[in-house]
Amino acid sequence: MRIFVEKDYDAMSRRMAQVIAAEIVHNPACVLGLATGSTPEGAYKYLVDWYKQGCLSFKDVLSVNLDEYVGLAPTHDQSYRYFMQSNLFNHVDIIPENTRVPDGLTKDPKTFCAEYDAYIHSLGYVDLQLLGIGRNGHIGFNEPGDSFVKETHVVDLAESTIDANARFFATRDDVPKQAISMGIGAIMGAKKVLLAASGEEKAGAILNSICGTITPHCPGSILQLHPNVVVVVDEAAGSRLKSAGVSICG
Ligand code: F6R
């Protein structure tokens, strides 16, 4: 694992964007595994800027998103499809057909999930998987539990995840209770993983993921078994790493 601790959210975002841009420059037809939420928002802004400056093109890039809320239409302003369109896809030259986000309205989740995995498999897995992390250690929406779920699946969101995501909805009751999430198999199949976090409330999840016991009770801890992980955090999210003796790149 290479770990970068950046001064603040903006520096973290810039570093994340650099890792993603390097992947695209190195392999213009790469497959990006994308995430939503507050963590990657700033990085997407940098990527859009660099695209507008002519430094980067997404025209041959394929993307596969980690997750989507069950029951939200792509046009719902809190759906993850909507997030991706408004934060990245609408502003760069990615081909719409080359972007995938799980279908939160599918009538047949079981078949949908199997087909999502088959698609990822057919691509040879993703080249770079972006991950935020929940305060409870979730990656994608793989919530803490007694076992790791390998396949794309429907998840009951943890109460703490519903609490955390209530900030985006009018009331807590409006937060969907389920999501479709890529499983640990597709995440661990990625050739490279970029794990990012910002803010003090993520410090425990980051510490446990990087050097805690590998356990499904902290899903991010499985990343210790991945051979190619880059971690980018701000000082607040990385605040417990130095005293734990973790070596930092920058
Ligand atoms: C989002 C996702 C989630 C988030 C996590 C952190 O696609 O898969 O795992 O990355 O909940 O969310 P933020 O970044 O909003 O703190």
Side-chain angles (χ1 to χ4, degrees):
M1 261 187 204
R2 274 169 304 143
I3 302 167
F4 295 87
V5 179
E6 305 294 344
K7 190 167 159 294
D8 54 19
Y9 179 80
D10 183 57
M12 177 204 74
S13 300
R14 192 178 166 85
R15 177 74 75 182
M16 283 175 76
Q18 283 171 346
V19 175
I20 301 164
E23 186 69 33
I24 298 171
V25 169
H26 177 71
N27 176 10
C30 64
V31 182
L32 297 179
L34 297 177
T36 59
S38 305
T39 309
E41 232 180 299
Y44 292 153
K45 282 201 178 86
Y46 273 106
L47 293 175
V48 169
D49 281 353
W50 296 342
Y51 164 74
K52 286 184 175 159
Q53 289 162 21
C55 308
L56 205 57
S57 170
F58 292 76
K59 77 177 169 48
D60 296 320
V61 168
L62 294 172
S63 75
V64 189
N65 261 75
L66 277 169
D67 39 27
E68 178 61 281
Y69 287 120
V70 167
L72 295 196
T75 49
H76 189 290
D77 66 359
Q78 290 308 326
S79 76
Y80 286 171
R81 166 56 79 176
Y82 189 95
F83 175 100
M84 290 311 304
Q85 292 301 136
S86 48
N87 284 282
L88 184 64
F89 299 156
N90 288 347
H91 311 291
V92 298
D93 58 348
I94 198 162
I95 295 169
E97 295 71 37
N98 288 349
T99 70
R100 300 280 171 110
V101 179
D103 177 6
L105 295 183
T106 178
K107 297 271 177 294
D108 182 357
K110 206 169 162 211
T111 305
F112 178 84
C113 290
E115 286 175 358
Y116 207 69
D117 279 335
Y119 177 66
I120 294 167
H121 196 249
S122 76
L123 298 174
Y125 290 93
V126 310
D127 292 301
L128 175 65
Q129 179 65 58
L130 225 66
L131 294 175
I133 191 161
R135 295 170 205 190
N136 63 3
H138 73 218
I139 49 176
F141 275 135
N142 292 275
E143 298 284 23
D146 291 336
S147 58
F148 291 107
V149 181
K150 193 171 149 205
E151 296 83 14
T152 297
H153 57 296
V154 176
V155 188
D156 292 330
L157 296 175
E159 290 299 318
S160 62
T161 300
I162 295 171
D163 288 341
N165 291 1
R167 69 190 194 278
F168 297 116
F169 292 83
T171 72
R172 189 185 186 279
D173 285 346
D174 295 327
V175 185
K177 306 293 176 280
Q178 290 188 312
I180 295 179
S181 178
M182 230 185 238
I184 294 297
I187 293 172
M188 291 298 281
K191 296 179 189 76
K192 187 188 289 172
V193 173
L194 168 57
L195 171 67
S198 159
E200 164 114 59
E201 69 275 11
K202 301 288 179 72
I206 284 294
L207 178 72
N208 292 335
S209 295
I210 290 174
C211 55
T213 304
I214 299 171
T215 165
H217 293 286
C218 175
S221 64
I222 192 81
L223 298 173
Q224 292 174 48
L225 300 180
H226 192 287
N228 195 355
V229 179
V230 179
V231 181
V232 181
V233 291
D234 65 7
E235 282 177 358
S239 57
R240 293 175 65 184
L241 295 177
K242 266 196 192 135
S243 58
V246 174
S247 70
I248 311 289
C249 303

